[in-house]
Amino acid sequence: MVLRLFLILFIINIFAVTAQHRLLKGTVKDTLGENMEFANIMAKPSNVELHYVFGLTDKNGKFELKLAENTGYMVTISFMGYDSYEFKIDSLQHNITKKIRLKTSNQFLDEVVIESTTPMKITKDSIVYDVKHFVSGKEFKLKSVLKKLPGISVDRNGQISVMGKKVSQVFVEDKPFFGGNSELAVENLPANVIEKIKVINDYNQVSFMKGLNEEQNMIINIKLKEGKKHFVFGDLEAGVNIEKNYLGKTNLFYYSPKTNLSYIGNINDIGEKSLTTLDVSRFEGGRINNDNSGVNKNTVSPLRGFLMDEDYTNRKVLFNAMQWQQDMGDQWSFRVFGVSAKRETDYQSTKYNSYLSDNTVDEVIDKNNFTSEFQNFGKLTLTYKPTAKQYFDYSLLVDKSLSDQSQITHAVSPVKSNEVDFILNREGTSVTQDLNWYRKFNKKNIVKLTTNFGYKTRTPKNKWLSENPILETLLPLEDDDIYEVNQVIDAKQTYLDFLLKYYYKLNSKHHIYFSLGGDLSKESFRNNVNQILENNIIDFDDFRNDYSMKINDLYFGIQYRFKLFGSLLTPGIYAHNLSWYNSYTKQNTKKILLLPRFDFELETKGKIKFKYQLKADMSGAYKYSYNYVINSFNTMYKGNKDLSNELYHELNL
């Protein structure tokens, strides 16, 4: 009797529970009938005591929500770049299946400003999450919060993705978090200070330039709770192991409405880095490249090279970086960023060479190398916003690098064996200044003026010591007990770039862009090779270069950007008056180049992009060397004084 009563109550309870909810399911497609993955489904209940219900479509465009029975809902289906679709359910008494098609949004290239009062809202170019509706209060860092938000994922390296698209930068209260570093943000920002998270697609720091740049960056902007806008946070970490390796890390941050201070430090002997080359590129900026006129420029970043990955056997790192952001009223602000880093690296390598001639010769080369590098990098950026229609920024970047390298090389072949000691002392300096001005005259007319001025110098000093002659068929070495060969290189580069670009909006679907720009640069290259004897120095004339290259590139470009049947097309053409002068040959060469380009974008459930461009490439001064330059104890290089530019087609899909 008791068992029967228990079974009856159990069955009644099952029916009661299942009867309390009904399913809303269906599919979401775009105007072309393609399934839409990651479309957002939100059901707002008419009963204020019930919670919102959220869902996302899968790769087949399907969704399924469990809704309360006998309750009204307002259901919204939305996706970036499409008009939202809404429908009302008065009282859900049975399962419902819907087939929905979203239309491409008529809004185009205009800024969208939203205020969100719901747990989650999606517009054409942004998503706003009200965090309290998604968390339990037990989360510790930003990473655990992001993992609970629909459509957002975080990988083990701290890279954030929204709807499958990677986030380029993380902001806190509208300011970049240490240059936008997402890994530092997700691992350090406390969860209990976060009120809202806003995802912005096609972000631009100059608001009225939104949608006009080629690069479409997605950012996350963290909004802090009231009362939590003055706080210090961070992590300290230290570790050792039985092999006596060590690691010490410090990440400290201070936030207030007007002042942001950040510091990261790292000391270890396992080669761990605190910043990546992507982080550095965000801080550095660089020469004018966002117009993409078609002629590549010759640039090198010492700091990015310092952070590049490479194989090593042992490495010690001492790294310090800081950032200070300060608002000085409503119109002025500045940011200071600095890095001081030292790296000591040991590595070993073995190379097998086969020299193909009448009699093939095999050679084995073993290298033991030690390198000590020191890098100082600093950047100051001033920003001035006098009105909502004007924007100025100026930046000064100074980069100083020192490097010492010692290498022992053993080369063994059937012909001969040799041991060579190599010593390198290298010093490099880079100074760059950028000035940008943006002006919006009205809704249809916008102007941008950008100028870059830079100076770079590199002075490596090389020394080879060997018991046997090196490059003996080319270097007329005098007999000696120890052969000592020196090479000194002095390379300098000065450049001035400018770009004036006019954006004319015919209407929301048709734009015309005009560009007028120039790149004026001068590079000099000098090298000298000699043999050091006990009482004499012998210079080798065939290994001496002393010349400069002047390159002037003036160009005019026009682009027409329009929207057609859900796709975005941008044909364009750039006319270049390119000239270069070689001080050695005394020749001044001129060329007129017409470089077409075509961009195509199609919005489906994601985005298809195709780009074509005819490009020109000018080599650096090193490639024009008319005499030899020694690269290593058994290799050398000779350029071509008569080099011209090269043309090539570039396609990206």
Side-chain angles (χ1 to χ4, degrees):
M1 183 66 181
V2 175
L3 180 60
R4 183 180 301 173
L5 180 61
F6 174 77
L7 290 173
I8 293 173
L9 291 174
F10 178 72
I11 293 171
I12 292 174
N13 185 59
I14 290 177
F15 277 103
V17 171
T18 55
Q20 289 175 359
H21 294 88
R22 295 294 184 182
L23 290 179
L24 170 64
K25 55 184 179 179
T27 57
V28 179
K29 298 179 181 291
D30 61 14
T31 52
L32 300 177
E34 297 288 335
N35 297 326
M36 300 186 69
E37 186 180 7
F38 296 123
N40 176 70
I41 319 296
M42 181 179 69
K44 179 182 178 181
S46 56
N47 185 348
V48 295
E49 295 182 357
L50 297 178
H51 294 292
Y52 286 78
V53 182
F54 299 93
L56 293 170
T57 54
D58 60 18
K59 64 181 180 180
N60 298 315
K62 295 182 179 180
F63 68 91
E64 189 174 286
L65 297 184
K66 186 182 287 187
L67 304 180
E69 190 180 31
N70 299 321
T71 301
Y73 285 90
M74 176 60 71
V75 181
T76 303
I77 295 92
S78 53
F79 192 87
M80 286 186 182
Y82 292 80
D83 291 329
S84 298
Y85 180 89
E86 292 186 343
F87 63 92
K88 186 177 181 181
I89 300 174
D90 293 326
S91 179
L92 193 64
Q93 297 179 352
H94 53 81
N95 296 341
I96 295 179
T97 300
K98 301 281 288 185
K99 293 182 179 180
I100 298 161
R101 285 204 174 190
L102 297 184
K103 296 181 179 180
T104 304
S105 175
N106 291 325
Q107 300 181 37
F108 177 65
L109 298 177
D110 289 326
E111 180 183 7
V112 178
V113 180
I114 68 170
E115 294 182 0
S116 176
T117 57
T118 60
M120 179 178 174
K121 186 174 182 179
I122 296 183
T123 66
K124 177 182 182 294
D125 58 356
S126 64
I127 309 173
V128 178
Y129 298 89
D130 196 344
V131 171
K132 65 176 181 256
H133 294 276
F134 301 94
V135 298
S136 64
K138 298 179 180 180
E139 295 76 15
F140 185 52
K141 298 291 184 183
L142 172 62
K143 187 175 185 177
S144 55
V145 173
L146 292 174
K147 287 184 174 181
K148 293 189 175 181
L149 303 182
I152 296 183
S153 62
V154 184
D155 66 20
R156 64 180 183 178
N157 296 319
Q159 175 63 59
I160 307 170
S161 298
V162 180
M163 307 297 186
K165 182 177 179 180
K166 290 184 178 180
V167 171
S168 58
Q169 294 188 73
V170 175
F171 283 53
V172 177
E173 291 290 335
D174 306 316
K175 297 181 180 67
F177 182 87
F178 208 88
N181 188 301
S182 63
E183 181 180 1
L184 285 174
V186 299
E187 298 293 351
N188 287 279
L189 194 65
N192 62 354
V193 303
I194 302 171
E195 181 178 18
K196 292 183 180 180
I197 294 178
K198 184 175 183 179
V199 179
I200 303 174
N201 194 31
D202 192 14
Y203 170 79
N204 196 300
Q205 63 181 354
V206 184
S207 58
F208 56 81
M209 293 294 295
K210 188 178 181 68
L212 297 178
N213 286 353
E214 293 177 14
E215 296 182 4
Q216 297 181 346
N217 297 316
M218 177 181 282
I219 71 157
I220 280 183
N221 190 19
I222 309 295
K223 293 295 184 179
L224 304 177
K225 296 178 181 177
E226 290 297 327
K228 298 288 188 180
K229 298 191 178 184
H230 294 80
F231 69 109
V232 177
F233 61 98
D235 283 324
L236 301 174
E237 180 181 339
V240 294
N241 63 15
I242 58 175
E243 297 179 357
K244 297 183 180 180
N245 297 113
Y246 58 87
L247 169 68
K249 297 172 63 176
T250 303
N251 299 327
L252 294 176
F253 308 93
Y254 167 73
Y255 262 82
S256 71
K258 292 186 176 296
T259 304
N260 301 157
L261 298 173
S262 306
Y263 168 78
I264 62 173
N266 195 333
I267 181 171
N268 66 83
D269 67 347
I270 57 175
E272 182 177 281
K273 298 179 297 185
S274 295
L275 294 180
T276 66
T277 54
L278 179 61
D279 298 324
V280 172
S281 68
R282 285 194 291 258
F283 284 114
E284 279 189 316
R287 299 176 65 178
I288 296 171
N289 55 16
N290 55 6
D291 196 52
N292 204 5
S293 65
V295 174
N296 291 337
K297 295 162 174 88
N298 178 37
T299 58
V300 178
S301 166
L303 185 55
R304 292 187 211 184
F306 182 88
L307 294 172
M308 291 292 286
D309 288 321
E310 59 185 30
D311 295 330
Y312 56 88
T313 53
N314 293 290
R315 172 172 288 172
K316 296 180 181 179
V317 175
L318 176 61
F319 188 92
N320 294 281
M322 62 79 64
Q323 178 180 263
W324 175 18
Q325 297 183 96
Q326 182 71 49
D327 289 342
M328 301 176 292
D330 296 331
Q331 296 181 338
W332 288 91
S333 64
F334 72 81
R335 182 176 68 174
V336 178
F337 172 72
V339 168
S340 178
K342 184 178 181 181
R343 181 171 75 173
E344 295 180 352
T345 305
D346 293 302
Y347 71 82
Q348 298 175 339
S349 67
T350 300
K351 181 188 292 186
Y352 299 91
N353 293 331
S354 288
Y355 298 94
L356 304 180
S357 58
D358 294 337
N359 297 312
T360 300
V361 176
D362 294 328
E363 180 183 45
V364 180
I365 300 177
D366 291 312
K367 292 182 180 180
N368 289 276
N369 188 90
F370 171 78
T371 304
S372 177
E373 300 166 278
F374 186 69
Q375 189 84 36
N376 280 323
F377 171 92
K379 184 176 183 180
L380 167 67
T381 301
L382 290 171
T383 301
Y384 176 51
K385 305 175 185 177
T387 67
K389 294 185 177 181
Q390 281 199 85
Y391 183 98
F392 293 85
D393 70 55
Y394 165 80
S395 63
L396 171 65
L397 182 151
V398 180
D399 195 335
K400 181 73 173 180
S401 61
L402 299 171
S403 177
D404 294 316
Q405 179 181 351
S406 61
Q407 183 181 92
I408 300 176
T409 302
H410 296 273
V412 180
S413 72
V415 178
K416 69 172 184 177
S417 298
N418 198 7
E419 179 178 307
V420 181
D421 293 346
F422 171 65
I423 300 172
L424 166 66
N425 304 109
R426 179 169 51 205
E427 181 176 344
T429 303
S430 172
V431 179
T432 305
Q433 297 183 82
D434 302 330
L435 178 64
N436 302 288
W437 172 62
Y438 302 86
R439 179 71 165 91
K440 180 179 181 180
F441 294 96
N442 50 50
K443 190 175 182 180
K444 290 189 174 183
N445 297 275
I446 296 174
V447 170
K448 174 181 72 173
L449 175 63
T450 302
T451 63
N452 305 145
F453 172 76
Y455 171 78
K456 298 181 180 181
T457 179
R458 183 174 58 92
T459 55
K461 299 176 181 178
N462 309 284
K463 178 184 291 187
W464 291 270
L465 298 171
S466 173
E467 294 182 353
N468 299 310
I470 64 171
L471 299 171
E472 55 187 324
T473 59
L474 294 166
L475 283 175
L477 298 174
E478 295 285 336
D479 292 337
D480 204 348
D481 294 334
I482 298 294
Y483 293 89
E484 179 179 341
V485 177
N486 289 339
Q487 176 177 253
V488 178
I489 294 176
D490 183 8
K492 293 183 174 66
Q493 179 186 24
T494 305
Y495 62 84
L496 173 64
D497 299 336
F498 69 90
L499 169 65
L500 179 64
K501 190 159 186 175
Y502 169 53
Y503 303 85
Y504 178 58
K505 298 182 179 181
L506 296 169
N507 52 49
S508 62
K509 293 186 178 181
H510 297 268
H511 294 183
I512 299 178
Y513 306 151
F514 299 94
S515 298
L516 177 64
D519 175 13
L520 315 176
S521 65
K522 179 180 179 181
E523 289 186 67
S524 62
F525 183 83
R526 298 180 179 88
N527 81 304
N528 181 43
V529 177
N530 53 50
Q531 181 184 4
I532 307 298
L533 301 173
E534 184 175 356
N535 297 314
N536 193 16
I537 298 177
I538 301 175
D539 291 319
F540 303 122
D541 292 337
D542 288 341
F543 287 77
R544 181 198 300 271
N545 290 280
D546 187 356
Y547 62 96
S548 63
M549 292 291 302
K550 292 182 180 179
I551 301 175
N552 296 330
D553 176 24
L554 299 176
Y555 62 89
F556 174 79
I558 183 171
Q559 293 172 272
Y560 174 45
R561 195 175 194 187
F562 62 97
K563 197 170 186 180
L564 182 66
F565 302 121
S567 61
L568 184 63
L569 299 94
T570 313
I573 189 167
Y574 285 81
H576 290 259
N577 182 9
L578 183 63
S579 65
W580 61 96
Y581 173 77
N582 188 323
S583 67
Y584 175 72
T585 62
K586 309 297 183 183
Q587 292 182 347
N588 191 11
T589 307
K590 294 184 179 181
K591 278 191 175 182
I592 301 295
L593 301 176
L594 293 178
L595 305 180
R597 58 174 299 177
F598 178 75
D599 296 3
F600 172 80
E601 292 183 13
L602 176 63
E603 293 277 1
T604 58
K605 62 180 181 181
K607 182 178 288 188
I608 297 175
K609 291 184 179 182
F610 170 77
K611 292 185 178 183
Y612 162 76
Q613 189 167 14
L614 179 61
K615 284 191 171 184
D617 195 13
M618 288 297 298
S619 299
Y622 170 72
K623 296 291 184 69
Y624 290 85
S625 58
Y626 51 87
N627 279 327
Y628 291 108
V629 181
I630 299 179
N631 288 337
S632 70
F633 79 97
N634 67 345
T635 63
M636 57 190 178
Y637 176 81
K638 187 175 183 178
N640 183 351
K641 58 183 174 55
D642 299 317
L643 275 182
S644 180
N645 66 286
E646 68 169 348
L647 291 175
Y648 62 95
H649 301 274
E650 182 176 274
L651 298 95
N652 292 285
L653 177 63

